[in-house]
Amino acid sequence: MEGKAISRMFAALSATNEAILRARSEDELHQRVCDAAVLGGKLLGAATFVAKSDGLLHCVALAGADFLAHFPKAVDPAQAQQGLCVIAFRTGRTIATNDYMNDRRMRLYRDAAFRLGVRSAVAIPIRRAGQVCGALCFFLRQTGGLSRHVVGVLERMAENVSFGLDRFGQVEQSEQLAKQNRRLFSAMNNIVSQGVALLDERGRLVMYNERCRQIFGLPPELTTPGTSLRRIAEFIKAEGSTLDEPAGYLQAAREQIAVKGRYECVVRMTDGRSIRVLSEQLRDGGYISLHEDITESLRQQASFRLLFDNNPVPMGVFEYGTWKFIAVNDAAVDLYGYTREEFLERAVTDFAVVADPDAYLKMLEALPLAERDGVIVKHRRADGRVLNVKIFSHALTYDGRPARLAASIDVTDQLRAEREIRRARGFLDAVIENIPMPVVVKAPKQADAQVGDWAYTLLNGAAEKLFGVTREKWIGRTPAEVQSAASVSIISKLDQEALTSGAAVTSEVSSAKLRGSMRTVKSYSTAIRDDRGRAEYLVAVFEDVTEQRRASERIAYFAHHDSLTGLPNRVAFDEFFPRALDASNGCGGELVVMCLDLDGFKDINDQYGHAAGDEVLRGITGRLRAAAEEGAFLARVGGDEFVLLWQNVGGAGKAGELAQRLIAASKTEFDVEGMKLRVGLSIGIAVSPMHGADCKTLLANADIALYQAKNEQRGTIRHFSKAMDSQVREERALRADLQRALEKGELHLHYQPQVDMDREVIGYEALLRWRSAARGDVSPMTFVPLAEETGLIVPIGEWVLREACREAASWSGRTKVAVNISPRQIKGGDLPGLVQRVLVDSGLPASRLELEITESVFIDDFTRALSTLMRLKALGVDIALDDFGTGYSSLSYLHAFPFDRIKVDRSFVADLGTNERSDAIMRAIVTMAKSLGIPVLAEGVETEQQWSWLSELGCDAVQGYLIGRPQPPHAISRGVTRVQAQN
């Protein structure tokens, strides 16, 4: 949107310039300017006030239909309460409001403004002979419509009106001003950072600057002195750039340098950057090559076209070498009488009226980078009439081609010449004014002035905004007169360095006085010297790098902080811990290390999703921060794991009190989208120096204490002790032994019979046993949970499946073998594929294999678990639901999958006949199963009374010590199909 507004403002500016050229009186000029603002700039209204001899400000021009009936004919600037125009007239500076209805200065005019639709406005003083003589007022219908770019163009309109009001002045002074501005404009290129490379006469690298290496990404081996330019060109070409083939590129460069003294081209890199390469031959036969990233310049070409096409000054762009025009504006078409198509078919030499065409061509070839003084030549129009024109030109790259921008001023009429020179000056001023980077120029007040006596001579619009000043306050004054002592000290140092170094000086400072907030600004300063080497100007270009620095700070912050909770992360903790321990050791104190782990957090993630889990984490973080001691360091080092470091200065017991507060803070429910969620907190504590003198030991011991707390009773606190260390070491040793048990053949299977109610053997359940060479028989209650926790259950489970099927294949009849399947096996891989391979390898019919699962397989991923069971069922194996009644006992599982058997947990069988609740539950399970057509097997049957109850209830099968204990394979009577009760 702002781009469109700027385009309209430039259209109004162009119309203003045309009005200055054609207006026959001041009143006509004022009215044309107001009309241009409304018609060309699409503003709501515009008015011009001029001071008259009666002391009043008279409205001499007005545009905008609704404004005609509401504006006063004259106002008294001496009165206290006045609008923007009077304030601008009295102060001599631009006065703007981006929110007219809420600006206290405008309270007397709000009703009228509301009716007219005014939402923002600006008043700009106009001058005659340097003195304020009135004000231009512009009114917009949008709140916030006055960006710095829009105001800058409107100020340029007012300044051009001021030029129009000045009577015919001195052409020589105008030319000097234009010369000065062109010179300053040219200086801008001298302070822009470029890549520079020096080569000897054979094209080998002598030296380069860092910017040169950065632009092309050259590796170290290509930046050593003596490296050939051809190797560098081959690298750039290989990287995918648009550079010509190295041999052709080098040949073209040598030929053009030999003819023209220079070679210029544009290389487009694969990342979209455009690099201009300019090479010239040195006197000693070597070469200097300059490399400049012109990507941003190309992006600004649209802005250049706007200034170029709509400028009233005749302008054209011609290509070096062919000298043909490649672009002309409408003003040039009008001046020379050719159509645009005819123009673009001609060269510069076709227009020149010269006695010696060859000499004229040599003059063109020898033109400097910028022709500041102008060259007067004779040009012939299309109708044959000869014009005396003064040509100002500047080299540039246009559409990737080396070219030259030329402005033609018809000096046949001296008056017109003066005005056109002003337009050229205005154009160059506009370019400087609209450069997005702040530009400031200083010049000495007198010859041989010290650096402190250099005064400001130019500030562009970007500089005004950066420093929060108007140029009128600074122009003609030294830094000491308008800036703080601290700023003057920095400026003087940089200026002195620029004057003595002969090169651009770079600096970076932060200040709260820039744009009303703390800003970080990078500056580039250089001295512009005359032909004798004396400094004429000090030019400084500024770049606001605040956002870049903030981005770097944000990157550093997120590298050391958890993005979810804002707490320090593992990296920050690892950096802080050694410093905290050193500080504690230095003062002889105790450093408390707490490992905190949330209880039940995984269940929240599994049941309610990670979004709910994230909310709980943010909530618990806030509570822990509030409950922690002042100065405590709290970090999130894992999903639901935290570490707290605290310098204990309160004596024994304080660490425990802090831990109790933390646990208490975690007990309150969290309200997440209407759900009441609860987590617990377990804490392990280690204290230096008694529990360790180094970070690794302290953290490990606190973690051991946390492990003990979670194993014994969640939601508790445990302080590290040596006994804990021994226990954890034992568990770790057990884990290591279990990992080796499968490899060493220490695992084996026992089989427990399953019978129907006629005591006929229908199958055996394969039960895992571990006889360790070092530990003897290890209880399954000890090692099976450990295998689940470590993931060893997956390879162990595969071994059990293979071994059980192999053994069962040797049994006679249709006796089944039942194998327990872990939830990890369901999640971890292709279980149906494994079962199919095992059945094929062992030769066991699928109908004789029963896989026992628990309800927990459905918890994490119901859909995947159900799909896996369906694939297993399709193989022909039976699926039994084990430990029924101890988990969620969700009937939805029985509805979702056709189980072949339900195995009732032994806890319900143990109380049969003595506990009415157990009797009722067992009766309900059997009744439900029969209605679903699912057989029921009761586990843990140890007495005849239990057998009788189960038989009476209609149970289908039993398993337990009453029938038989688990036995190794060789103890099973393979021919037995019926068993009696065991005593």
Side-chain angles (χ1 to χ4, degrees):
M1 292 298 292
E2 184 182 3
K4 293 182 179 179
I6 292 297
S7 297
R8 293 196 296 267
M9 292 304 102
F10 273 115
L13 175 60
S14 179
T16 298
N17 294 339
E18 189 69 21
I20 295 171
L21 284 172
R22 302 189 182 279
R24 292 169 293 184
S25 66
E26 289 186 13
D27 289 343
E28 181 183 351
L29 170 62
H30 292 314
Q31 189 58 51
R32 281 191 177 217
V33 170
C34 290
D35 291 339
V38 173
L39 299 177
K42 304 301 181 184
L43 302 185
L44 181 62
T48 303
F49 283 82
V50 176
K52 300 291 186 178
S53 59
D54 58 4
L56 301 180
L57 281 175
H58 290 260
C59 182
V60 298
L62 193 62
D66 293 337
F67 281 72
L68 298 177
H70 295 84
F71 251 73
K73 299 299 182 183
V75 293
D76 186 356
Q79 293 184 5
Q81 299 295 334
Q82 294 293 353
L84 296 179
C85 290
V86 174
I87 298 174
F89 174 76
R90 289 197 308 212
T91 61
R93 58 189 178 88
T94 300
I95 304 297
T97 176
N98 257 315
D99 190 357
Y100 202 100
M101 304 309 295
N102 293 308
D103 194 323
R104 295 180 61 190
R105 298 174 297 179
M106 303 295 106
R107 59 184 180 275
L108 296 179
Y109 310 100
R110 286 175 185 163
D111 291 342
F114 181 79
R115 291 194 300 272
L116 293 170
V118 176
R119 295 298 179 266
S120 54
V122 61
I124 308 170
I126 55 176
R127 292 173 170 79
R128 180 186 287 110
Q131 300 299 316
V132 177
C133 64
L136 264 173
C137 303
F138 302 101
F139 303 92
L140 288 78
R141 55 178 58 86
Q142 304 94 352
T143 300
L146 291 168
S147 68
R148 65 181 180 87
H149 300 296
V150 170
V151 172
V153 178
L154 293 176
E155 286 178 332
R156 179 57 59 198
M157 288 175 63
E159 184 178 340
N160 288 354
V161 170
S162 298
F163 288 144
L165 294 176
D166 286 339
R167 290 305 175 187
F168 311 132
Q170 311 194 356
V171 176
E172 181 178 356
Q173 180 180 359
S174 299
E175 291 180 347
Q176 290 175 349
L177 290 173
K179 176 181 177 181
Q180 173 182 321
N181 276 271
R182 289 193 302 275
R183 199 165 183 181
L184 293 175
F185 172 68
S186 176
M188 297 306 100
N189 287 331
N190 295 332
I191 61 175
V192 174
S193 179
Q194 292 180 323
V196 180
L198 293 178
L199 303 103
D200 62 18
E201 66 279 1
R202 296 175 60 184
R204 296 174 302 187
L205 186 65
V206 177
M207 64 173 57
Y208 70 102
N209 66 354
E210 179 61 15
R211 182 61 179 150
C212 176
R213 188 196 66 76
Q214 292 172 348
I215 285 177
F216 292 112
L218 298 178
E221 62 269 18
L222 293 183
T223 57
T224 56
T227 302
S228 70
L229 180 57
R230 178 162 185 163
R231 283 188 61 198
I232 297 174
E234 288 172 347
F235 170 84
I236 297 172
K237 179 65 178 178
E239 290 294 299
S241 70
T242 60
L243 187 71
D244 293 336
E245 288 299 321
Y249 161 78
L250 296 176
Q251 181 62 29
R254 292 191 186 97
E255 291 176 356
Q256 284 205 26
I257 291 175
V259 175
K260 303 176 182 178
R262 65 166 58 193
Y263 173 75
E264 185 173 359
C265 68
V266 175
V267 179
R268 186 168 181 83
M269 310 300 289
T270 54
D271 57 7
R273 292 180 299 123
S274 295
I275 309 301
R276 180 170 62 195
V277 179
L278 176 63
S279 301
E280 293 186 359
Q281 190 167 21
L282 302 175
R283 292 181 178 179
D284 61 359
Y287 303 89
I288 182 171
S289 184
L290 305 179
H291 315 106
E292 180 181 6
D293 188 338
I294 60 170
T295 310
E296 186 60 29
S297 299
L298 296 178
R299 292 194 186 104
Q300 294 175 354
Q301 188 170 354
S303 297
F304 168 80
R305 291 296 313 189
L306 181 63
L307 287 170
F308 176 80
D309 290 338
N310 298 313
N311 204 288
V313 177
M315 293 184 180
V317 178
F318 57 88
E319 185 180 21
Y320 270 110
T322 66
W323 312 110
K324 276 195 170 185
F325 281 99
I326 54 179
V328 292
N329 65 359
D330 291 339
V333 170
D334 292 341
L335 176 63
Y336 288 95
Y338 289 99
T339 67
R340 190 178 303 275
E341 292 72 19
E342 291 172 337
F343 227 119
L344 298 180
E345 292 175 354
R346 286 168 168 75
V348 177
T349 52
D350 296 332
F351 293 84
V353 180
V354 293
D356 188 349
D358 292 336
Y360 181 72
L361 186 60
K362 289 181 179 179
M363 183 271 292
L364 290 176
E365 293 173 343
L367 282 174
L369 185 66
E371 178 51 60
R372 302 181 180 91
D373 299 325
V375 177
I376 297 178
V377 296
K378 292 183 181 294
H379 279 179
R380 180 173 283 109
R381 283 175 43 89
D383 58 9
R385 186 160 54 96
V386 174
L387 301 176
N388 291 309
V389 292
K390 192 167 188 177
I391 305 296
F392 297 92
S393 64
H394 196 291
L396 51 73
T397 298
Y398 188 91
D399 285 342
R401 292 180 284 179
R404 198 168 190 90
L405 169 67
S408 302
I409 309 300
D410 183 0
V411 295
T412 306
D413 184 342
Q414 191 61 36
L415 175 60
R416 183 178 178 186
E418 179 189 15
R419 290 177 177 173
E420 295 298 340
I421 290 171
R422 287 183 183 275
R423 301 305 166 268
R425 176 183 181 274
F427 168 69
L428 295 173
D429 281 347
V431 173
I432 295 175
E433 183 66 22
N434 289 283
I435 289 175
M437 297 178 70
V439 179
V440 171
V441 179
K442 292 191 291 291
K445 282 191 169 183
Q446 58 189 18
D448 300 324
Q450 297 298 313
V451 70
D453 293 326
W454 285 57
Y456 290 106
T457 60
L458 182 147
L459 282 84
N460 69 351
E464 286 185 307
K465 185 171 183 179
L466 175 66
F467 295 107
V469 299
T470 60
R471 63 194 70 186
E472 289 79 10
K473 286 190 174 182
W474 278 24
I475 298 299
R477 295 180 174 88
T478 65
E481 294 174 319
V482 293
Q483 293 175 271
S484 67
S487 297
V488 171
S489 176
I490 296 172
I491 293 169
S492 297
K493 180 180 178 182
L494 294 175
D495 287 350
Q496 188 62 50
E497 187 175 350
L499 287 171
T500 56
S501 68
V505 177
T506 303
S507 175
E508 189 170 303
V509 297
S510 295
S511 174
K513 295 183 178 181
L514 300 175
R515 298 186 181 177
S517 61
M518 181 61 71
R519 312 296 296 178
T520 302
V521 174
K522 195 171 186 178
S523 67
Y524 308 86
S525 303
T526 190
I528 307 303
R529 304 179 185 276
D530 61 16
D531 295 339
R532 290 177 290 180
R534 293 183 303 184
E536 288 187 309
Y537 301 101
L538 280 170
V539 181
V541 176
F542 300 88
E543 180 182 4
D544 188 341
V545 295
T546 307
E547 297 308 320
Q548 297 176 27
R549 298 298 175 265
R550 288 176 180 171
S552 298
E553 291 171 0
R554 284 194 294 271
I555 292 171
Y557 175 85
F558 285 117
H560 290 78
H561 289 79
D562 172 41
S563 60
L564 178 63
T565 64
L567 289 175
N569 59 13
R570 170 68 75 175
V571 174
F573 172 75
D574 290 341
E575 293 177 358
F576 180 81
F577 195 2
R579 298 198 301 270
L581 185 58
D582 289 343
S584 176
N585 293 336
C587 66
E590 294 180 345
L591 181 65
V592 177
V593 182
M594 294 187 184
C595 287
L596 294 74
D597 190 86
L598 300 183
D599 301 324
F601 178 73
K602 183 178 184 300
D603 294 337
I604 291 176
N605 262 346
D606 292 342
Q607 295 182 45
Y608 302 104
H610 290 283
D614 290 347
E615 287 299 318
V616 171
L617 282 174
R618 280 190 283 263
I620 197 68
T621 296
R623 294 182 185 180
L624 294 178
R625 278 175 163 165
E629 292 283 348
E630 183 178 356
F633 180 86
L634 179 65
R636 181 186 178 205
V637 295
D640 58 352
E641 301 172 11
F642 301 83
V643 179
L644 184 141
L645 302 178
W646 174 54
Q647 185 69 44
N648 184 11
V649 294
K654 286 294 182 180
E657 294 175 9
L658 171 58
Q660 290 289 357
R661 287 203 306 275
L662 296 173
I663 288 181
S666 69
K667 289 184 176 179
T668 306
E669 291 180 333
F670 293 91
D671 188 348
V672 179
E673 296 184 356
M675 298 180 292
K676 301 297 184 182
L677 305 181
R678 185 189 298 275
V679 293
L681 186 66
S682 298
I683 301 178
I685 302 175
V687 180
S688 72
M690 68 182 70
H691 297 148
D694 60 84
C695 296
K696 182 178 180 181
T697 303
L698 281 169
L699 187 60
N701 290 342
D703 191 53
I704 288 172
L706 172 63
Y707 182 83
Q708 191 72 17
K710 293 184 75 70
N711 273 357
E712 292 180 3
Q713 182 181 354
R714 298 195 172 197
T716 58
I717 303 164
R718 289 293 180 267
H719 293 262
F720 175 77
S721 66
K722 291 185 178 179
M724 285 183 188
D725 187 38
S726 300
Q727 181 179 347
V728 171
R729 290 179 186 275
E730 170 59 22
E731 290 181 358
R732 290 174 179 169
L734 182 63
R735 182 183 294 114
D737 288 347
L738 180 58
Q739 288 176 332
R740 293 189 291 268
L742 187 60
E743 301 171 2
K744 296 167 66 175
E746 294 180 349
L747 299 179
H748 55 277
L749 297 180
H750 282 192
Y751 298 88
Q752 187 174 28
Q754 300 170 335
V755 300
D756 59 18
M757 301 313 293
D758 294 327
R759 300 187 188 267
E760 293 288 342
V761 175
I762 58 176
Y764 291 88
E765 180 179 3
L767 300 172
L768 182 63
R769 297 293 184 264
W770 177 19
R771 175 163 292 174
S772 169
R775 301 173 182 272
D777 288 333
V778 183
S779 170
M781 300 297 290
T782 299
F783 74 82
V784 170
L786 185 61
E788 290 278 3
E789 178 185 339
T790 59
L792 287 171
I793 196 68
V794 174
I796 290 175
E798 180 178 345
W799 178 85
V800 170
L801 180 65
R802 289 186 178 278
E803 184 64 17
C805 290
R806 184 191 63 78
E807 176 64 26
S810 67
W811 301 342
S812 61
R814 293 180 296 175
T815 306
K816 293 178 179 289
V817 64
V819 178
N820 289 279
I821 298 297
S822 164
R824 279 184 177 264
Q825 291 176 274
I826 297 288
K827 298 177 190 176
D830 181 17
L831 182 60
L834 172 64
V835 171
Q836 185 176 25
R837 291 193 299 273
V838 170
L839 290 174
V840 171
D841 294 343
S842 65
L844 181 71
S847 60
R848 292 180 56 194
L849 174 63
E850 180 177 88
L851 302 179
E852 298 184 3
I853 66 165
T854 63
E855 297 172 53
S856 59
V857 303
F858 294 106
I859 300 301
D860 290 337
D861 191 341
F862 178 85
T863 303
R864 178 175 180 179
L866 186 61
S867 173
T868 300
L869 294 179
M870 288 296 187
R871 292 174 60 199
L872 290 169
K873 185 78 172 171
L875 295 176
V877 302
D878 288 347
I879 307 295
L881 183 59
D882 197 10
D883 296 339
F884 186 77
T886 59
Y888 292 96
S889 298
S890 173
L891 298 182
S892 64
Y893 302 147
L894 298 178
H895 178 268
F897 185 77
F899 286 99
D900 297 288
R901 190 192 305 276
I902 293 176
K903 296 187 70 175
V904 182
D905 188 71
R906 66 180 62 249
S907 60
F908 297 104
V909 176
D911 295 337
L912 282 178
T914 61
N915 187 310
E916 293 182 356
R917 293 178 63 85
S918 294
D919 294 348
I921 291 172
M922 180 60 73
R923 184 176 293 108
I925 292 174
V926 173
T927 300
M928 175 195 66
K930 284 187 175 300
S931 67
L932 294 173
I934 305 176
V936 177
L937 182 148
E939 294 184 293
V941 178
E942 298 182 357
T943 68
E944 286 291 347
Q945 183 182 11
Q946 293 169 349
W947 176 282
S948 297
W949 271 95
L950 291 169
S951 178
E952 181 181 338
L953 291 175
C955 186
D956 298 288
V958 298
Q959 177 181 342
Y961 286 176
L962 177 66
I963 305 303
R965 295 176 177 273
Q967 297 291 330
H970 63 79
I972 297 176
S973 299
R974 287 180 168 79
V976 175
T977 59
R978 183 181 179 88
V979 297
Q980 300 297 321
Q982 296 186 4
N983 294 325

